Amino acid sequence: MIHSSHAALVEEVAKAPDEPRKTLSDGTQIFPGHREIDPRNGQQLGYVVLAEEERAKGFVRPVRHSYRHLKCGGVTTMGQTLAETYARDPYFYSGTFCCHCRAHFPVGEDGGFVWAGTNEKVGT
Ligand SMILES: [Zn+2]
């Protein structure tokens, strides 16, 4: 018997066969509902990253762990697999979390985050 969440994931993969493999930030399988917000901290239940073998192909940016939210000035630090995913593909994420605002906001050229200690926008 095929578990329903597994069937959904297979369907997602089948739609984009050339997409690099992805996991959650702790290396576990992506589950439906991982984007749901945990009311305790405002974060998603899970964050998608590029799989280990994709990150191992090389970085196009430095691996940076902390970024500053321009609106509040707060610095957020993320884990290694997320930092490496940004370094492998700077355009992977459309938004990111501010632990001071406890909310997600867009990244990119028009986004509200810079890498800590720089003026370089996150997601560029
Ligand atoms: Zn903020």
Side-chain angles (χ1 to χ4, degrees):
M1 179 183 163
I2 297 172
H3 191 268
S4 61
S5 64
H6 183 249
L9 186 68
V10 168
E11 192 175 69
E12 209 170 284
V13 170
K15 281 178 194 162
D18 298 330
E19 293 263 314
R21 193 171 73 89
K22 298 166 191 172
T23 69
L24 292 179
S25 58
D26 63 357
T28 59
Q29 191 176 24
I30 298 165
F31 59 90
H34 69 274
R35 289 190 185 88
E36 284 174 29
I37 300 298
D38 184 338
R40 293 170 298 179
N41 58 19
Q43 295 190 37
Q44 291 182 185
L45 297 181
Y47 288 92
V48 173
V49 298
L50 288 167
E52 189 174 14
E53 73 274 11
E54 292 296 332
R55 289 183 271 119
K57 289 176 182 173
F59 302 135
V60 300
R61 296 285 188 281
V63 177
R64 293 167 287 202
H65 295 84
S66 298
Y67 48 77
R68 188 162 56 86
H69 189 202
L70 295 171
K71 184 181 159 197
C72 73
V75 171
T76 297
T77 299
M78 62 188 158
Q80 185 69 16
T81 57
L82 286 151
E84 288 187 4
T85 298
Y86 268 116
R88 172 65 187 158
D89 180 358
Y91 312 109
F92 187 83
Y93 300 105
S94 59
T96 198
F97 185 73
C98 172
C99 68
H100 298 265
C101 296
R102 295 187 167 215
H104 296 84
F105 301 96
V107 297
E109 203 58 61
D110 299 325
F113 295 90
V114 294
W115 295 112
T118 79
N119 291 317
E120 189 184 339
K121 287 284 186 80
V122 173
T124 63

Short mmCIF file of all heavy atoms in Angstrom, two decimals, residues 69 72 98 100-101 105, ligand 1:
data_model
loop_
_atom_site.label_atom_id
_atom_site.label_comp_id
_atom_site.label_asym_id
_atom_site.label_seq_id
_atom_site.Cartn_x
_atom_site.Cartn_y
_atom_site.Cartn_z
N HIS A 69 18.11 41.91 8.94
CA HIS A 69 16.86 42.42 8.41
C HIS A 69 16.92 43.95 8.47
O HIS A 69 17.06 44.52 9.54
CB HIS A 69 15.69 41.89 9.26
CG HIS A 69 14.34 42.17 8.69
ND1 HIS A 69 13.20 42.18 9.45
CD2 HIS A 69 13.95 42.46 7.41
CE1 HIS A 69 12.15 42.47 8.67
NE2 HIS A 69 12.59 42.63 7.44
N CYS A 72 14.23 45.94 10.82
CA CYS A 72 14.32 45.93 12.29
C CYS A 72 15.77 45.95 12.77
O CYS A 72 16.01 46.17 13.96
CB CYS A 72 13.60 44.71 12.85
SG CYS A 72 14.48 43.17 12.59
N CYS A 98 12.94 36.20 9.77
CA CYS A 98 13.62 37.10 10.71
C CYS A 98 13.22 36.65 12.11
O CYS A 98 12.04 36.65 12.45
CB CYS A 98 13.22 38.55 10.48
SG CYS A 98 13.89 39.64 11.78
N HIS A 100 13.74 38.10 14.86
CA HIS A 100 13.31 39.22 15.71
C HIS A 100 11.85 39.59 15.42
O HIS A 100 11.08 39.80 16.35
CB HIS A 100 14.24 40.42 15.51
CG HIS A 100 15.65 40.10 15.92
ND1 HIS A 100 16.15 40.39 17.15
CD2 HIS A 100 16.63 39.47 15.24
CE1 HIS A 100 17.41 39.95 17.23
NE2 HIS A 100 17.73 39.39 16.08
N CYS A 101 11.50 39.65 14.13
CA CYS A 101 10.11 39.91 13.74
C CYS A 101 9.26 38.64 13.85
O CYS A 101 8.04 38.72 13.82
CB CYS A 101 10.06 40.42 12.30
SG CYS A 101 10.88 42.00 12.05
N PHE A 105 9.94 37.23 5.20
CA PHE A 105 9.89 38.37 4.28
C PHE A 105 10.67 38.02 3.02
O PHE A 105 11.56 37.16 3.07
CB PHE A 105 10.50 39.61 4.93
CG PHE A 105 9.84 40.03 6.21
CD1 PHE A 105 10.37 39.61 7.43
CD2 PHE A 105 8.70 40.81 6.21
CE1 PHE A 105 9.76 39.97 8.62
CE2 PHE A 105 8.08 41.19 7.40
CZ PHE A 105 8.62 40.77 8.60
ZN ZN B 1 13.08 41.75 11.39
#
